[in-house]
């Protein structure tokens, strides 16, 4: 069964550094998402992406965040200057359609630790 | 903004007992999805409900969408140890394109 993959599985970085989290969505999916989950808490929507542009973003997704689809397969989340409170599990997800929203397939996540 | 709440936060049951988690939205929903997240894992899609009053079943799991499309429930009959995990509902508002997740209900099943 096709699946969403994410790299790295764990990223440790120092406060103020830039990080790039990578995702490979399922190949025939058109909508891509980033979520984050602080340890033990709920899943929070960050951003959705379709047709090479952001469809929606949450209040969390401020100027320090950006997303990109640099080629036909990768979908990246960049955090420019990490803060301690950015420590969380970041999940990428994809779906075949987005309007109406279809089943979202989540990747295994990247655990980001900011020290 | 839209808020999604779930109760209970935690539920401990003996294997074989039933389990129900309830999801409530502050606004009317377009549709609702349910996910299961095993400890240390990622959310896995279970079901999507779209119609008012809709009831769907998956083996021992029964999902219901309220008539007013502001609440939903997930009921598991005769729980098994494999049911352990956190169950999240995620609601899509009428004017939004992103799902708002509830805080989840963490289910523990004692053998």
């Amino acid at each position: 069964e096709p699946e969403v993959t994410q790299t790295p599985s764990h990223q440790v970085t120092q406060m103020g550094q830039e990080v790039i989290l990578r995702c490979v969505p399922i190949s025939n999916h058109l909508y891509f998402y980033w979520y984050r989950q602080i340890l033990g808490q709920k899943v929070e929507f960050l951003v959705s992406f379709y047709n090479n542009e952001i469809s929606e973003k949450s209040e969390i997704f401020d100027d320090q965040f950006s997303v990109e689809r640099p080629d036909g397969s990768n979908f990246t989340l960049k955090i420019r200057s990490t803060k301690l409170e950015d420590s969380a599990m970041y999940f990428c997800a994809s779906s075949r359609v987005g309007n109406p929203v279809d089943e979202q397939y989540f990747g295994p996540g990247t655990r980001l630790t900011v020290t | 903004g839209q808020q999604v709440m779930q109760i209970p936060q935690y539920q401990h049951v003996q294997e074989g007992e039933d389990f129900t988690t309830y999801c409530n939205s502050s606004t009317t929903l377009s549709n609702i999805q349910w996910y299961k997240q095993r400890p240390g894992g990622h959310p896995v899609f279970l079901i999507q409900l779209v119609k008012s009053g809709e009831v769907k079943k998956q083996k021992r799991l029964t999902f219901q969408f309220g008539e007013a499309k502001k609440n939903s429930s997930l009921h598991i009959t005769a729980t098994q140890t494999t049911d352990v995990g956190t169950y999240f509902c995620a609601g899509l508002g009428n004017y939004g394109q992103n799902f708002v997740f509830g805080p989840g209900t963490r289910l523990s099943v004692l053998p």
Side-chain angles (χ1 to χ4, degrees):
Chain A
E1 185 175 321
E3 56 184 23
V4 176
T5 59
Q6 289 185 244
T7 55
S9 57
H10 191 188
Q11 175 88 51
V12 181
T13 189
Q14 287 191 327
M15 193 169 52
Q17 295 296 306
E18 174 183 286
V19 294
I20 297 177
L21 311 182
R22 303 180 192 280
C23 168
V24 178
I26 294 173
S27 61
N28 64 343
H29 286 190
L30 301 178
Y31 291 79
F32 315 118
Y33 313 85
W34 282 102
Y35 292 87
R36 80 172 185 190
Q37 185 177 34
I38 295 170
L39 185 63
Q41 297 187 25
K42 66 177 181 180
V43 177
E44 298 175 292
F45 169 80
L46 293 178
V47 66
S48 59
F49 192 87
Y50 168 70
N51 201 24
N52 283 320
E53 59 184 29
I54 290 174
S55 302
E56 284 217 15
K57 59 183 181 180
S58 70
E59 294 173 352
I60 303 168
F61 194 87
D62 60 23
D63 291 344
Q64 69 162 341
F65 290 93
S66 62
V67 289
E68 195 177 32
R69 187 156 164 82
D71 52 45
S73 59
N74 289 284
F75 179 50
T76 62
L77 174 69
K78 181 191 289 186
I79 309 175
R80 285 192 189 81
S81 178
T82 50
K83 302 189 281 260
L84 294 176
E85 54 264 38
D86 292 328
S87 294
M89 183 72 89
Y90 287 81
F91 291 108
C92 172
S94 69
S95 62
R96 285 183 303 114
V97 296
N99 189 14
V101 182
D102 196 3
E103 170 180 352
Q104 296 176 72
Y105 291 77
F106 281 72
T110 293
R111 180 172 298 283
L112 176 65
T113 302
V114 182
T115 61
Chain B
Q2 180 189 346
Q3 292 186 14
V4 176
M5 297 144 283
Q6 278 184 259
I7 54 170
Q9 188 177 3
Y10 301 97
Q11 184 80 62
H12 304 279
V13 300
Q14 205 73 37
E15 189 173 21
E17 291 181 339
D18 292 356
F19 159 76
T20 304
T21 173
Y22 300 91
C23 176
N24 291 285
S25 170
S26 59
T27 60
T28 303
L29 299 172
S30 169
N31 52 12
I32 195 161
Q33 295 181 343
W34 283 92
Y35 290 82
K36 176 183 178 181
Q37 185 176 27
R38 293 182 186 274
H42 59 276
V44 174
F45 176 85
L46 294 176
I47 204 121
Q48 175 163 269
L49 304 172
V50 179
K51 299 176 184 175
S52 168
E54 188 172 13
V55 177
K56 286 188 176 180
K57 292 192 175 186
Q58 288 179 351
K59 298 181 181 178
R60 294 179 295 105
L61 277 61
T62 302
F63 303 85
Q64 188 166 10
F65 203 4
E67 294 290 341
K69 300 184 76 173
K70 292 184 72 174
N71 56 67
S72 180
S73 65
L74 157 60
H75 179 82
I76 302 178
T77 304
T79 54
Q80 300 174 358
T81 54
T82 52
D83 295 327
V84 165
T86 300
Y87 292 84
F88 292 98
C89 64
L92 181 67
N94 283 325
Y95 304 104
Q97 290 298 316
N98 60 279
F99 280 88
V100 175
F101 278 70
T105 295
R106 183 177 297 180
L107 173 64
S108 298
V109 180
L110 304 174

